[in-house]
mmCIF file of all heavy atoms in Angstrom:
data_model
loop_
_atom_site.group_PDB
_atom_site.id
_atom_site.type_symbol
_atom_site.label_atom_id
_atom_site.label_comp_id
_atom_site.label_asym_id
_atom_site.label_seq_id
_atom_site.Cartn_x
_atom_site.Cartn_y
_atom_site.Cartn_z
ATOM 1 N N ALA A 8 -2.104 11.294 -27.800
ATOM 2 C CA ALA A 8 -1.717 11.894 -26.548
ATOM 3 C C ALA A 8 -1.692 10.877 -25.401
ATOM 4 O O ALA A 8 -0.928 11.075 -24.401
ATOM 5 C CB ALA A 8 -2.731 12.955 -26.098
ATOM 6 N N SER A 13 4.614 2.185 -24.906
ATOM 7 C CA SER A 13 5.764 2.068 -24.106
ATOM 8 C C SER A 13 6.552 0.748 -24.304
ATOM 9 O O SER A 13 7.371 0.361 -23.542
ATOM 10 C CB SER A 13 5.427 2.188 -22.613
ATOM 11 O OG SER A 13 4.514 1.253 -22.232
ATOM 12 N N ALA A 17 9.898 -1.632 -20.803
ATOM 13 C CA ALA A 17 9.865 -2.548 -19.684
ATOM 14 C C ALA A 17 9.451 -3.928 -20.255
ATOM 15 O O ALA A 17 9.084 -4.031 -21.482
ATOM 16 C CB ALA A 17 8.785 -2.111 -18.714
ATOM 17 N N ARG A 46 20.294 15.649 -13.102
ATOM 18 C CA ARG A 46 20.875 16.904 -13.599
ATOM 19 C C ARG A 46 19.969 17.530 -14.702
ATOM 20 O O ARG A 46 20.036 18.752 -14.837
ATOM 21 C CB ARG A 46 22.221 16.641 -14.172
ATOM 22 C CG ARG A 46 23.238 16.349 -13.121
ATOM 23 C CD ARG A 46 24.627 15.901 -13.644
ATOM 24 N NE ARG A 46 25.289 16.924 -14.523
ATOM 25 C CZ ARG A 46 26.381 16.736 -15.168
ATOM 26 N NH1 ARG A 46 27.025 15.564 -15.058
ATOM 27 N NH2 ARG A 46 26.936 17.687 -15.918
ATOM 28 N N GLY A 51 17.433 24.512 -16.745
ATOM 29 C CA GLY A 51 16.916 25.887 -17.000
ATOM 30 C C GLY A 51 15.679 26.002 -17.797
ATOM 31 O O GLY A 51 15.133 24.980 -18.281
ATOM 32 N N PHE A 74 6.650 15.278 -42.013
ATOM 33 C CA PHE A 74 6.278 16.011 -40.729
ATOM 34 C C PHE A 74 6.958 15.393 -39.520
ATOM 35 O O PHE A 74 7.565 16.097 -38.680
ATOM 36 C CB PHE A 74 4.722 15.864 -40.538
ATOM 37 C CG PHE A 74 4.214 16.585 -39.284
ATOM 38 C CD1 PHE A 74 3.869 17.899 -39.323
ATOM 39 C CD2 PHE A 74 4.042 15.847 -38.144
ATOM 40 C CE1 PHE A 74 3.356 18.490 -38.203
ATOM 41 C CE2 PHE A 74 3.565 16.443 -36.964
ATOM 42 C CZ PHE A 74 3.215 17.814 -37.010
ATOM 43 N N THR A 105 7.385 4.160 -40.651
ATOM 44 C CA THR A 105 6.939 3.149 -41.563
ATOM 45 C C THR A 105 5.439 3.102 -41.679
ATOM 46 O O THR A 105 4.690 3.549 -40.778
ATOM 47 C CB THR A 105 7.416 1.768 -41.039
ATOM 48 O OG1 THR A 105 6.984 0.713 -41.906
ATOM 49 C CG2 THR A 105 6.923 1.499 -39.622
ATOM 50 N N THR A 106 4.981 2.498 -42.800
ATOM 51 C CA THR A 106 3.515 2.281 -42.940
ATOM 52 C C THR A 106 3.169 0.850 -42.532
ATOM 53 O O THR A 106 1.989 0.498 -42.540
ATOM 54 C CB THR A 106 3.084 2.546 -44.376
ATOM 55 O OG1 THR A 106 3.874 1.691 -45.274
ATOM 56 C CG2 THR A 106 3.270 3.979 -44.763
ATOM 57 N N CYS A 112 12.121 -2.223 -33.388
ATOM 58 C CA CYS A 112 11.623 -2.432 -31.976
ATOM 59 C C CYS A 112 10.747 -3.663 -31.883
ATOM 60 O O CYS A 112 10.278 -4.052 -30.812
ATOM 61 C CB CYS A 112 10.797 -1.249 -31.488
ATOM 62 S SG CYS A 112 11.742 0.317 -31.487
ATOM 63 N N ASN A 118 -1.247 1.418 -31.457
ATOM 64 C CA ASN A 118 -0.939 2.690 -30.868
ATOM 65 C C ASN A 118 -0.175 3.606 -31.786
ATOM 66 O O ASN A 118 -0.246 4.804 -31.699
ATOM 67 C CB ASN A 118 -0.170 2.520 -29.542
ATOM 68 C CG ASN A 118 -1.032 1.848 -28.465
ATOM 69 O OD1 ASN A 118 -2.240 1.902 -28.497
ATOM 70 N ND2 ASN A 118 -0.398 1.107 -27.542
ATOM 71 N N ALA A 120 3.221 4.307 -32.033
ATOM 72 C CA ALA A 120 4.520 4.815 -31.767
ATOM 73 C C ALA A 120 5.114 4.154 -30.560
ATOM 74 O O ALA A 120 4.382 3.765 -29.666
ATOM 75 C CB ALA A 120 4.459 6.360 -31.481
ATOM 76 N N ARG A 136 -5.798 6.146 -39.706
ATOM 77 C CA ARG A 136 -6.577 7.234 -39.097
ATOM 78 C C ARG A 136 -5.825 8.592 -39.321
ATOM 79 O O ARG A 136 -6.461 9.631 -39.453
ATOM 80 C CB ARG A 136 -6.777 6.991 -37.620
ATOM 81 C CG ARG A 136 -5.531 6.933 -36.780
ATOM 82 C CD ARG A 136 -5.790 6.691 -35.330
ATOM 83 N NE ARG A 136 -4.548 6.549 -34.612
ATOM 84 C CZ ARG A 136 -4.193 5.457 -33.903
ATOM 85 N NH1 ARG A 136 -4.933 4.403 -33.976
ATOM 86 N NH2 ARG A 136 -3.030 5.401 -33.262
ATOM 87 N N ASN A 145 -2.065 15.677 -32.518
ATOM 88 C CA ASN A 145 -1.986 14.264 -32.258
ATOM 89 C C ASN A 145 -0.734 13.644 -32.841
ATOM 90 O O ASN A 145 0.041 12.946 -32.173
ATOM 91 C CB ASN A 145 -3.146 13.531 -32.860
ATOM 92 C CG ASN A 145 -4.238 13.190 -31.876
ATOM 93 O OD1 ASN A 145 -4.072 13.264 -30.689
ATOM 94 N ND2 ASN A 145 -5.450 12.850 -32.395
ATOM 95 N N GLU A 153 7.645 10.320 -27.241
ATOM 96 C CA GLU A 153 8.654 9.310 -27.345
ATOM 97 C C GLU A 153 10.080 9.938 -27.207
ATOM 98 O O GLU A 153 10.958 9.273 -26.636
ATOM 99 C CB GLU A 153 8.526 8.564 -28.679
ATOM 100 C CG GLU A 153 7.233 7.860 -28.933
ATOM 101 C CD GLU A 153 6.832 6.901 -27.802
ATOM 102 O OE1 GLU A 153 7.666 6.440 -27.067
ATOM 103 O OE2 GLU A 153 5.562 6.705 -27.686
ATOM 104 N N TRP A 154 10.224 11.199 -27.516
ATOM 105 C CA TRP A 154 11.496 11.810 -27.273
ATOM 106 C C TRP A 154 11.681 12.023 -25.757
ATOM 107 O O TRP A 154 12.787 12.032 -25.273
ATOM 108 C CB TRP A 154 11.554 13.174 -27.978
ATOM 109 C CG TRP A 154 12.644 13.163 -29.072
ATOM 110 C CD1 TRP A 154 13.829 13.741 -29.046
ATOM 111 C CD2 TRP A 154 12.574 12.540 -30.391
ATOM 112 N NE1 TRP A 154 14.521 13.494 -30.193
ATOM 113 C CE2 TRP A 154 13.712 12.757 -31.059
ATOM 114 C CE3 TRP A 154 11.572 11.750 -30.996
ATOM 115 C CZ2 TRP A 154 14.030 12.261 -32.324
ATOM 116 C CZ3 TRP A 154 11.815 11.299 -32.230
ATOM 117 C CH2 TRP A 154 13.014 11.550 -32.932
ATOM 118 N N GLN A 159 14.815 10.274 -20.927
ATOM 119 C CA GLN A 159 14.963 9.407 -19.756
ATOM 120 C C GLN A 159 16.091 8.335 -19.973
ATOM 121 O O GLN A 159 16.750 8.011 -18.969
ATOM 122 C CB GLN A 159 13.665 8.701 -19.512
ATOM 123 C CG GLN A 159 12.516 9.639 -19.026
ATOM 124 C CD GLN A 159 11.132 8.998 -19.044
ATOM 125 O OE1 GLN A 159 10.807 8.194 -19.913
ATOM 126 N NE2 GLN A 159 10.289 9.287 -18.089
ATOM 127 N N LEU A 165 15.673 5.821 -17.228
ATOM 128 C CA LEU A 165 15.051 4.629 -17.743
ATOM 129 C C LEU A 165 15.702 3.375 -17.159
ATOM 130 O O LEU A 165 14.989 2.404 -16.840
ATOM 131 C CB LEU A 165 15.132 4.630 -19.301
ATOM 132 C CG LEU A 165 14.162 3.794 -20.057
ATOM 133 C CD1 LEU A 165 12.716 4.008 -19.601
ATOM 134 C CD2 LEU A 165 14.263 4.059 -21.537
ATOM 135 N N TRP A 173 11.335 -4.174 -11.732
ATOM 136 C CA TRP A 173 11.618 -5.544 -11.336
ATOM 137 C C TRP A 173 11.494 -5.802 -9.854
ATOM 138 O O TRP A 173 11.293 -6.926 -9.422
ATOM 139 C CB TRP A 173 12.960 -6.009 -11.868
ATOM 140 C CG TRP A 173 12.904 -6.384 -13.378
ATOM 141 C CD1 TRP A 173 13.503 -5.667 -14.319
ATOM 142 C CD2 TRP A 173 12.213 -7.399 -13.965
ATOM 143 N NE1 TRP A 173 13.251 -6.204 -15.540
ATOM 144 C CE2 TRP A 173 12.465 -7.311 -15.379
ATOM 145 C CE3 TRP A 173 11.430 -8.474 -13.511
ATOM 146 C CZ2 TRP A 173 11.897 -8.207 -16.275
ATOM 147 C CZ3 TRP A 173 10.877 -9.345 -14.418
ATOM 148 C CH2 TRP A 173 11.141 -9.170 -15.752
ATOM 149 N N PHE A 194 7.871 16.119 -20.026
ATOM 150 C CA PHE A 194 8.947 16.534 -20.942
ATOM 151 C C PHE A 194 8.365 17.004 -22.275
ATOM 152 O O PHE A 194 8.902 17.884 -22.876
ATOM 153 C CB PHE A 194 9.944 15.405 -21.133
ATOM 154 C CG PHE A 194 10.853 15.072 -19.972
ATOM 155 C CD1 PHE A 194 11.400 13.810 -19.802
ATOM 156 C CD2 PHE A 194 11.151 16.074 -19.038
ATOM 157 C CE1 PHE A 194 12.272 13.547 -18.735
ATOM 158 C CE2 PHE A 194 12.000 15.797 -17.939
ATOM 159 C CZ PHE A 194 12.536 14.521 -17.816
ATOM 160 N N VAL A 219 -6.924 15.942 -23.560
ATOM 161 C CA VAL A 219 -6.084 14.938 -22.891
ATOM 162 C C VAL A 219 -6.787 14.391 -21.683
ATOM 163 O O VAL A 219 -6.872 13.229 -21.370
ATOM 164 C CB VAL A 219 -4.693 15.519 -22.618
ATOM 165 C CG1 VAL A 219 -3.847 14.486 -21.816
ATOM 166 C CG2 VAL A 219 -3.988 15.844 -23.887
ATOM 167 N N ARG A 232 -6.617 12.539 -16.422
ATOM 168 C CA ARG A 232 -6.509 13.845 -15.721
ATOM 169 C C ARG A 232 -5.072 14.065 -15.199
ATOM 170 O O ARG A 232 -4.624 15.245 -15.162
ATOM 171 C CB ARG A 232 -7.473 13.965 -14.624
ATOM 172 C CG ARG A 232 -7.303 12.969 -13.416
ATOM 173 C CD ARG A 232 -8.237 13.351 -12.273
ATOM 174 N NE ARG A 232 -8.078 12.464 -11.094
ATOM 175 C CZ ARG A 232 -8.670 11.351 -10.894
ATOM 176 N NH1 ARG A 232 -9.650 10.932 -11.812
ATOM 177 N NH2 ARG A 232 -8.415 10.620 -9.853
ATOM 178 N N ASP A 239 0.623 19.793 -18.882
ATOM 179 C CA ASP A 239 0.375 21.168 -18.679
ATOM 180 C C ASP A 239 1.382 21.797 -17.733
ATOM 181 O O ASP A 239 1.842 22.899 -17.900
ATOM 182 C CB ASP A 239 -1.026 21.380 -18.125
ATOM 183 C CG ASP A 239 -1.507 22.841 -18.245
ATOM 184 O OD1 ASP A 239 -1.233 23.468 -19.238
ATOM 185 O OD2 ASP A 239 -2.101 23.357 -17.210
ATOM 186 N N ARG A 240 1.835 21.027 -16.727
ATOM 187 C CA ARG A 240 2.849 21.463 -15.773
ATOM 188 C C ARG A 240 4.188 21.756 -16.502
ATOM 189 O O ARG A 240 4.844 22.717 -16.277
ATOM 190 C CB ARG A 240 3.051 20.436 -14.691
ATOM 191 C CG ARG A 240 4.055 20.821 -13.634
ATOM 192 C CD ARG A 240 4.123 19.711 -12.582
ATOM 193 N NE ARG A 240 5.216 19.885 -11.698
ATOM 194 C CZ ARG A 240 5.211 20.486 -10.512
ATOM 195 N NH1 ARG A 240 4.050 21.020 -10.064
ATOM 196 N NH2 ARG A 240 6.272 20.612 -9.754
ATOM 197 N N TYR A 242 4.493 22.409 -19.712
ATOM 198 C CA TYR A 242 4.256 23.565 -20.610
ATOM 199 C C TYR A 242 4.315 24.872 -19.884
ATOM 200 O O TYR A 242 5.000 25.822 -20.257
ATOM 201 C CB TYR A 242 2.928 23.389 -21.326
ATOM 202 C CG TYR A 242 2.609 24.477 -22.224
ATOM 203 C CD1 TYR A 242 3.095 24.527 -23.551
ATOM 204 C CD2 TYR A 242 1.738 25.574 -21.848
ATOM 205 C CE1 TYR A 242 2.758 25.559 -24.438
ATOM 206 C CE2 TYR A 242 1.377 26.558 -22.742
ATOM 207 C CZ TYR A 242 1.941 26.576 -24.000
ATOM 208 O OH TYR A 242 1.593 27.548 -24.889
ATOM 209 N N CYS A 250 9.247 18.448 -13.869
ATOM 210 C CA CYS A 250 8.858 17.145 -14.322
ATOM 211 C C CYS A 250 9.374 15.982 -13.339
ATOM 212 O O CYS A 250 9.477 14.846 -13.768
ATOM 213 C CB CYS A 250 9.385 16.865 -15.673
ATOM 214 S SG CYS A 250 8.709 18.029 -16.912
#
Side-chain angles (χ1 to χ4, degrees):
S13 56
R46 287 171 64 182
F74 180 88
T105 178
T106 56
C112 301
N118 294 334
R136 62 179 178 244
N145 259 345
E153 301 307 336
W154 247 257
Q159 291 169 324
L165 203 49
W173 281 112
F194 285 156
V219 174
R232 67 172 181 268
D239 194 41
R240 181 179 168 93
Y242 179 82
C250 300

